[in-house]
């Protein structure tokens, strides 16, 4: 859970050998994104629909939590959500 008004660095790691995504349209609309840092470089204040993580990579999302609520998240790769790759993320 994140607290509204605070700045965060969400470190995402994919230890698998295949691509996964961090997908939560409503969560991305409820935060103010500062930057997304990936092995290939940094995107300052990007518009994000989902974050794709290739196998064995990591990315850091720097943001300010803005709008309180509980937001569904899932992996958007084919059949991954049906296999249980889902969850919730909360801003208090």
């Amino acid at each position: 859970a994140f607290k509204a008004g605070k700045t965060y660095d969400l470190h995402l790691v994919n230890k698998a050998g295949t691509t996964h995504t961090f997908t939560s349209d409503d969560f991305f609309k409820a935060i103010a994104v500062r930057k997304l840092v990936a092995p290939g470089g940094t995107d300052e204040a990007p518009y994000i629909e989902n974050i794709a993580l290739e196998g064995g990579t990591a990315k850091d999302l720097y943001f300010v939590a803005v709008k309180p609520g509980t937001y569904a998240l899932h992996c958007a790769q084919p059949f991954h959500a049906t296999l249980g790759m889902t969850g919730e993320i909360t801003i208090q």
Side-chain angles (χ1 to χ4, degrees), residues 8-26:
Y8 292 94
D9 169 6
L10 180 59
H11 183 68
L12 301 169
V13 178
N14 179 0
K15 294 181 180 179
T18 60
T19 299
H20 290 285
T21 66
F22 180 94
T23 305
S24 181
D25 188 51
D26 291 336

Side-chain angles (χ1 to χ4, degrees), residues 5 7 13-14 17 20-22 26 31 43 47 58 60 62 65 68 75 80 82 86-87 90:
T7 301
V13 178
N14 179 0
H20 290 285
T21 66
F22 180 94
D26 291 336
I31 63 174
D43 289 327
Y47 172 76
D60 288 278
Y62 295 84
C75 180
H80 285 198
T82 59
T86 64
T90 302

Side-chain angles (χ1 to χ4, degrees), residues 10-83:
L10 180 59
H11 183 68
L12 301 169
V13 178
N14 179 0
K15 294 181 180 179
T18 60
T19 299
H20 290 285
T21 66
F22 180 94
T23 305
S24 181
D25 188 51
D26 291 336
F27 173 71
F28 291 130
K29 290 177 182 175
I31 63 174
V33 177
R34 294 179 53 218
K35 62 184 173 180
L36 178 64
V37 179
T42 300
D43 289 327
E44 299 289 338
Y47 172 76
I48 297 176
E49 293 180 350
N50 70 53
I51 299 172
L53 293 129
E54 292 76 24
T57 65
K59 295 182 180 178
D60 288 278
L61 177 65
Y62 295 84
F63 68 95
V64 176
V66 177
K67 184 179 174 188
T70 299
Y71 306 99
L73 62 95
H74 67 279
C75 180
Q77 293 295 83
F79 306 108
H80 285 198
T82 59
L83 295 171

